[in-house]
Amino acid sequence: VLFRSAAADDAVDALIAEASQSRLAYEIVESLTTEVGPRLAGTEAEARARDWAVAELTRLGFDDVRVEEYTMPVWERGPLEVEILSPYPQRLVATALGGSASTPAGGVEGELAYFASFADLQAAPASGLEGKIVYVDDSMTRTQTGEGYGPAVAKRGSAWSEAQERGAVAVIIRSVGTDSHRVPHTGGMRFTDTRPGIAAVAVSAPDADQLRRIAARGETMRVRVASTTSWRDEGVSGNVIAEVRGREAPDEIVLIGAHLDSWDLGTGAIDDGSGVAIVVAAAKLIADMPQPPRRTVRVVLFGAEEVGIFGAKAYATAHEDELSDHIIAAESDFGADRIWRLRSRVGSGALDEMDALAMTVAGLGVVRGGNGAGGAPDVTPLAEAGVPILEPDQNGWDYFDLHHTPDDTFDKIDPEALAQNVAVYAALIYQIANGDVDFRAEAVAEDE
Ligand SMILES: [Zn+2]
């Protein structure tokens, strides 16, 4: 097996030891969240994040630091008011969902139509909600893997269209999150060409509980939503790319990425400043090895992930001709907690190599998962193009307490957990880049 030898094992052990006590990732995410802060896709703040990234990657000595720009539609939020008018008048803590329409001046008022679940809304008759404001409850399930997010995102993504089709004038959802704090969770809505025509907002969990309790009393509620948002058609965004040039096979690319944009409410510390810090620090530690790896390690800091993976799509298009030389791709985009499992999507002929690779990080608390990984959002276009995927899974137990809220800030990051991520990435990526395993290989049937 190519990448296994006593000398290679010693090099990996030394790299793990170095990464485990490195503060580099912690310093990087501190710098990004402090000096740039929130960085919504397509805004001047995201452009400042690109400038920050170019300066940081250049300072760290990476090869060929560059920005690849693309244009995209840009949505921004303005002032928002959500309130119960009757029977118990009070303001609610809420945030507009990405893509939400503005309400007419002064807002919209209407009777609240309560749906316990998104499935109930989908099953509602085609009419009967005219002039009403729809509320969709549904709590998200907390899990280590984050699998409660899928069903919750279906609600966030499409409650607007189900409500709008039935004549509703606005839609309110319980925030997609697992916390019990008075912070709302924003996030993108699902649409292609036709933008949402009504306002769509998420209320915090305690405010959602309030609506649930009033609804349970059987009382008719009237609510008001006043939201101002805006669209700009031709915004500029971009991917920031840097490399550790391979010494023998520089055209063979081992890609590690994260996304540079964030939602605008917090400072994007766990989503995805931590991912940026993890992959940049891991690549820097590899660059500082006594000898560069055989293959090129390419760091891609994707733009505009949150609003529809515009950066990932632009990357896959711009690099279409060299995707067959992409050996494997991984993205860190699930917070800052420890990695506990390694999944993959590689050819059957490379499974033994992948299992052996996983064993080299077992001492960091990582177990081998299955070979059905889809990859984090920004590598999905690469996976669809046949690029093998490496997916180190972080513990997501607490991730959705903070995700897309004003509370996604630097103080939530544990430097030791962050360093464990760097150690896992550095060890795995170094071995892949320093070897010559073809992760697309399919097993060859043995002759009888
Ligand atoms: Zn993210």
Side-chain angles (χ1 to χ4, degrees), residues 50-411:
R50 286 193 295 282
D51 293 344
W52 170 89
V54 167
E56 188 72 2
L57 293 162
T58 303
R59 179 183 75 79
L60 292 169
F62 283 95
D63 300 315
D64 202 8
V65 178
R66 60 203 190 269
V67 177
E68 295 181 352
E69 289 187 348
Y70 48 87
T71 59
M72 52 169 283
V74 179
W75 176 90
E76 290 188 79
R77 80 181 72 248
L80 172 67
E81 290 174 14
V82 179
E83 60 184 323
I84 300 172
L85 299 172
S86 67
Y88 310 120
Q90 56 192 287
R91 294 279 283 269
L92 301 177
V93 173
T95 190
L97 296 175
S100 167
S102 288
T103 52
V108 290
E109 294 180 17
E111 185 183 322
L112 185 135
Y114 178 90
F115 291 91
S117 72
F118 180 52
D120 285 355
L121 173 60
Q122 288 176 299
S127 63
L129 297 177
E130 293 82 2
K132 293 188 177 176
I133 295 178
V134 162
Y135 172 66
V136 190
D137 207 338
D138 240 345
S139 303
M140 179 179 159
T141 307
R142 180 189 295 275
T143 66
Q144 182 169 325
T145 58
E147 63 198 64
Y149 189 55
V153 159
K155 171 183 75 172
R156 190 184 76 204
S158 302
W160 75 267
S161 55
E162 299 288 342
Q164 182 175 307
E165 273 170 23
R166 292 171 173 80
V169 293
V171 62
I172 303 171
I173 65 166
R174 172 185 288 268
S175 277
V176 171
T178 50
D179 62 294
S180 60
H181 291 257
R182 209 168 187 194
V183 287
H185 298 239
T186 190
M189 297 199 287
R190 193 170 301 158
F191 54 93
T192 47
D193 297 332
T194 309
R195 291 172 185 164
I198 60 173
V201 306
V203 291
S204 81
D207 292 274
D209 293 344
Q210 196 82 320
L211 292 173
R212 181 183 285 182
R213 280 194 297 270
I214 299 170
R217 293 174 187 212
E219 307 213 42
T220 299
M221 255 184 287
R222 284 189 66 79
V223 293
R224 172 176 169 267
V225 175
S227 182
T228 306
T229 61
S230 62
W231 279 104
R232 197 157 39 86
D233 283 326
E234 288 283 288
V236 176
S237 183
N239 299 320
V240 182
I241 301 176
E243 294 177 351
V244 180
R245 188 77 38 76
R247 70 173 193 275
E248 282 178 23
D251 294 340
E252 295 184 11
I253 293 155
V254 180
L255 187 152
I256 46 175
H259 66 84
L260 195 53
D261 67 306
S262 76
W263 280 107
D264 49 346
L265 302 180
T267 59
I270 64 150
D271 188 12
D272 184 24
S274 52
V276 167
I278 289 161
V279 298
V280 171
K284 168 63 176 165
L285 288 163
I286 292 169
D288 288 347
M289 300 280 285
Q291 193 181 36
R294 283 189 65 253
R295 293 161 159 165
T296 292
V297 175
R298 178 177 289 172
V299 175
V300 182
L301 305 182
F302 295 96
E305 185 272 342
E306 296 291 4
V307 295
I309 62 167
F310 287 92
K313 290 175 185 166
Y315 179 88
T317 302
H319 296 269
E320 194 177 3
D321 291 346
E322 60 170 5
L323 290 187
S324 58
D325 291 326
H326 280 52
I327 303 304
I328 209 161
E331 181 183 33
S332 175
D333 183 21
F334 201 53
D337 206 345
R338 284 177 166 76
I339 294 168
W340 66 280
R341 180 174 70 175
L342 178 66
R343 287 183 297 151
S344 60
R345 185 155 102 192
V346 299
S348 54
L351 276 174
D352 288 349
E353 301 284 1
M354 188 52 71
D355 291 347
L357 199 56
M359 279 308 295
T360 66
V361 292
L364 290 165
V366 182
V367 299
R368 174 73 171 118
N371 196 43
D378 286 313
V379 295
T380 54
L382 302 179
E384 284 162 17
V387 176
I389 295 296
L390 188 72
E391 193 158 9
D393 286 318
Q394 292 162 291
N395 180 357
W397 188 253
D398 297 331
Y399 183 58
F400 294 101
D401 290 349
L402 304 171
H403 181 253
H404 297 182
T405 73
D407 240 1
D408 177 5
T409 50
F410 174 67
D411 52 288

